[in-house]
Amino acid sequence: MKKGMLSHLTHEGAEIAVRVTPKASRNAVEETTDGLRVYTTSVPEGGKANSAVTKLLATALGVPKSRLTLVRGATSRDKTFKVA
C-alpha cells in the first residue's frame, strides 16, 4: 500500500464507505468494484480496530488522520468516514 494511492477519493466533505475485516492476517487497503476494503490485524475491542482503520485509510488517502472522522459504523464492519 503506497501512501496517497487513493488520493483521487479525497475532496472536502467526501464520505468514504469502507468494509472492515478485523483480526486479518495483514494490514491492507484495497479498492474493489464494491468499494473500499480495509484489512487490519487489530482486534475489535475498545476501539483498537477503528483506530487502526483510521490510520490505514489516512495513509492510503494521503491525508492526516485528523482529517478523517468516523461518521457511521463504530461497532459495525461497514463504516463511513468523512474527509474534513
Side-chain angles (χ1 to χ4, degrees), residues 21-74:
T21 303
K23 292 175 41 175
S25 61
R26 69 196 194 290
N27 288 320
V29 178
E30 296 178 357
E31 188 173 18
T32 65
T33 56
D34 297 329
L36 289 181
R37 299 275 318 214
V38 179
Y39 301 92
T40 180
T41 58
S42 297
V43 294
E45 296 172 354
K48 292 178 187 176
N50 286 340
S51 296
V53 168
T54 303
K55 184 177 178 181
L56 288 168
L57 191 58
T59 301
L61 294 171
V63 298
K65 56 185 179 177
S66 62
R67 286 192 56 202
L68 291 178
T69 305
L70 181 60
V71 179
R72 282 185 291 279

